């Protein structure tokens, strides 16, 4: 039974919605659409120049449910005979002009179908107008203090609206969002340059005599309450932050504080308050140089604009998913240089509230020092943001203790590596920075062995002669062998005894220390191990040659 009642309730709601939408969206029982603004005098047109003379005029409003009518005005013989006092005819001489338009100041409840009926004997003029009522809200009211301008527009009945758009002074299109029944636009950090006439444009969904309706909203600023905040450069006025004393927003207490560190040139997240906002400002203060805070990033999601960065300031970029700056969720990425340490203040603005988060950043960088010599390699570990650094030190992967290091000055500690590089001092050197909050940041520098022979500390010469040297020796060896063979044949008739007696001395000379000769012979030379043979002149010839050529 409960299921049946629930089902019937849903069915009844669906049918009621369908009937209502059918009456308003398909049964367009009107001749024209007119949009007027709440509280501003307006006119509903009803004109026929041929309907002059003795006529009867009546204006009625059709109510809900359908069929109920309310008389707004009636007139005959040139006189208004009945109707509420706020309604009147726009032209008192309507009998002569044929202008029967209705003049009034719209109030809530005046929207809906309104009929103009003019009768002259047998002739009738009947015109049904769908009257839509626009409500514009401006917060805060003009003249504005420094802060954010909110412009909201809503139309009833809303089913006749095709679109509602906003334009700034000079016709500049503004971003708008539809929230419930309202179309909203905002101007964060409203200042003197934003003063002027803002235009709300309504385009009907259905055909009417005009393509769209435009309504002006004049906005001025209370110059006496403007806060110029900090001036970074001459004639350069920057937006106010949460500390502005006369702005229209309220600073939310309990600022968030973060202390962290980063390795130089490595993307590092820079968080902002976790609240949806309309705009965001980031200021940077270098504590070591004692400089005034500098605006380094400004983003306005309603204008979709970003202010150009100030020269010499850290380079920030809006972070991607899960953040979405276009939707109002902000965070940043910073690839810091060693000079970019300090305090980053992120202010997020939403309507009249301001949220703040501060991040104190230290930066660590490892690089080869220009003080390196031919006998020593110096690796420098530089760090900034010293105020929150507890200690900094070096370590090496192959040593249980710390490598030999020294500090040439504040914010720098070097490690000395003797050259040439060996297997003992090669490897990863890590500079570790410990912050006062216990966070540890490390940067690694890898010292590699020479690439010729990776397993040894220095490059070793090849044990085999180069191929090109061997190719050059081949013809020389062949020529020497040919000469020796020719001389051997020429002296073959000499006595063997003489040859043997001389051989004994020559042999002692040549083979006195052959191992030493192998060791002292130049690289790439060919060592020939000659044995005594037949023929005396062979050894005599060798005796006349240079020993280094053996």
């Amino acid at each position: 039974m409960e299921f049946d009642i629930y089902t019937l309730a849903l069915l009844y709601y669906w049918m009621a919605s369908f009937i209502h939408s059918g009456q308003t969206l398909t049964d367009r029982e009107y001749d024209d659409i007119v949009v007027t603004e709440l509280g501003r005098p307006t006119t509903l047109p009803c004109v026929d120049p041929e309907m002059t003379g003795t006529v009867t005029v009546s204006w009625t409003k059709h109510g809900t449910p359908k069929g109920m009518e309310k008389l707004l005005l009636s007139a005959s013989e040139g006189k208004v005979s009945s109707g509420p006092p706020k309604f009147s005819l726009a032209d008192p001489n309507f009998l002569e002009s044929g202008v029967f338009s209705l003049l009034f100041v719209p109030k809530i409840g005046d929207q809906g179908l309104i009929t103009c009926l003019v009768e002259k004997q047998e002739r009738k003029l009947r015109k049904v107008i769908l009257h839509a009522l626009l409500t514009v809200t401006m917060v805060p009211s003009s003249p504005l203090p420094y802060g954010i301008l909110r412009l909201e527009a809503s139309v009833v009945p809303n089913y006749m609206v095709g679109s509602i758009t906003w334009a700034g002074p000079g016709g500049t299109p503004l971003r708008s969002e539809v929230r419930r029944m309202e179309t909203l636009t905002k101007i964060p950090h409203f200042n003197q340059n934003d003063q002027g006439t803002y235009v709300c444009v309504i385009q009907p969904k259905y055909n009417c005599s005009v393509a769209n309706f435009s309504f002006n909203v004049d906005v001025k600023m209370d110059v006496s309450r403007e806060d110029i905040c900090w001036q970074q450069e001459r004639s350069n006025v920057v937006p106010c932050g949460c500390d502005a004393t006369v702005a229209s927003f309220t600073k939310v207490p309990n600022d968030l504080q973060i202390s962290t560190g980063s390795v130089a040139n490595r993307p590092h997240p820079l968080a902002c308050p976790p609240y949806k906002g309309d705009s965001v400002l980031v200021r940077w203060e270098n504590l070591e140089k004692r400089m005034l805070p500098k605006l380094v990033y400004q983003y306005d999601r309603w204008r979709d604009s970003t202010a150009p960065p100030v020269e010499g300031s850290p380079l920030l970029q809006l972070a991607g998913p899960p953040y979405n700056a276009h939707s109002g969720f902000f965070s940043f990425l910073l690839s810091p240089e060693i000079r970019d340490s300090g305090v980053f203040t992120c202010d997020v603005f939403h309507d009249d509230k301001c949220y703040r988060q501060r991040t104190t950043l230290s930066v660590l960088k490892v690089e080869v020092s220009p003080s390196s010599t031919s006998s020593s390699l110096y690796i420098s570990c530089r760090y900034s943001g010293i105020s929150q650094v507890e200690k900094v030190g070096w370590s090496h992967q192959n040593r249980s203790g710390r490598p030999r290091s020294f500090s040439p000055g504040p914010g720098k500690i070097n490690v000395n590596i003797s050259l040439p590089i060996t297997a003992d001092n090669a490897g990863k050197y890590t500079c570790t920075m410990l912050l006062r909050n216990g966070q540890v940041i490390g940067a690694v520098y890898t010292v590699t062995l020479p690439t010729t022979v990776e397993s040894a500390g220095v490059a070793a010469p090849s044990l085999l002669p180069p191929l090109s040297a061997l190719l050059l020796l081949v013809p020389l060896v062949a020529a020497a062998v040919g000469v020796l063979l020719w001389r051997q044949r020429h002296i073959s008739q000499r006595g063997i005894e003489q040859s043997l007696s001389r051989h004994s001395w020559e042999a002692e000379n040549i083979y006195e220390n052959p191992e030493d000769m192998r060791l002292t012979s130049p690289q790439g030379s060919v060592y020939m191990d000659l044995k005594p043979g037949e023929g005396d002149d062979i050894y005599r010839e060798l005796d006349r040659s240079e020993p280094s050529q053996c």
Side-chain angles (χ1 to χ4, degrees), residues 293-463:
K294 182 185 298 186
L295 180 66
V296 294
Y297 206 98
Q298 174 185 354
Y299 177 73
D300 179 349
R301 77 180 187 91
W302 292 95
R303 297 182 178 98
D304 195 22
S305 63
T306 302
V310 178
E311 184 178 357
S313 61
L315 297 180
L316 299 176
Q317 62 180 7
L318 289 167
Y323 302 97
N324 188 337
H326 195 67
S327 299
F329 297 97
F330 307 114
S331 185
F332 291 89
L333 287 179
L334 169 67
S335 297
E337 297 289 344
I338 192 69
R339 65 175 183 270
D340 295 338
S341 64
V343 179
F344 291 83
T345 302
C346 180
D347 291 341
V348 173
F349 302 85
H350 181 255
D351 291 342
D352 60 346
K353 294 182 176 60
C354 180
Y355 305 90
R356 169 166 288 183
Q357 179 165 322
R358 285 188 174 95
T359 301
T360 303
L361 179 69
S362 297
V363 183
L364 181 69
K365 185 175 184 179
V366 170
E367 59 188 355
V368 174
S369 173
S371 303
S372 298
T373 64
S374 58
S375 60
S376 296
L377 174 66
Y378 295 101
I379 306 177
S380 175
C381 178
R382 300 169 57 196
Y383 56 98
S384 56
I386 302 177
S387 60
Q388 65 170 355
V389 175
E390 181 71 24
K391 60 181 179 179
V392 178
W394 279 101
S395 62
H396 182 237
Q397 67 176 37
N398 292 340
R399 302 181 183 180
S400 57
R402 295 186 178 275
R404 185 173 54 185
S405 61
F406 63 95
S407 177
K412 182 183 292 186
I413 180 171
N414 294 351
V415 64
N416 181 13
I417 303 174
S418 300
L419 296 178
I421 303 300
T422 64
D424 184 54
N425 60 11
K428 295 181 179 180
Y429 288 79
T430 303
C431 180
T432 302
M433 178 174 64
L434 174 64
L435 302 184
R436 298 187 188 278
N437 62 358
Q439 185 179 1
V440 177
I441 297 92
V444 178
Y445 188 91
T446 302
V447 178
T448 58
L449 291 167
T451 56
T452 305
V453 179
E454 296 183 354
S455 59
V458 294
S462 175
L463 297 178

Side-chain angles (χ1 to χ4, degrees), residues 27-92:
D27 301 337
R28 290 171 288 167
E29 300 174 355
Y30 48 84
D31 303 301
D32 202 359
I33 298 176
V34 176
V35 181
T36 65
E37 185 178 355
L38 179 69
R40 290 193 179 185
T42 190
T43 300
L44 298 184
C46 184
V47 180
D48 188 347
E50 297 181 358
M51 298 287 285
T52 58
T54 305
V55 296
T56 300
V57 182
S58 65
W59 282 89
T60 56
K61 180 179 182 299
H62 301 270
T64 302
K66 189 175 181 180
M68 294 184 62
E69 295 183 354
K70 177 183 178 182
L71 180 63
L72 302 179
L73 180 146
S74 65
S76 61
E77 298 181 358
K79 296 181 180 180
V80 177
S81 57
S82 63
K86 71 174 183 178
F87 294 98
S88 62
L89 293 176
D91 187 358

Side-chain angles (χ1 to χ4, degrees), residues 154-176:
S154 61
V155 176
V156 289
N158 66 337
Y159 60 78
M160 54 74 53
V161 177
S163 65
I164 301 177
T165 57
W166 283 97
T172 305
L174 300 177
R175 177 184 175 182
S176 59

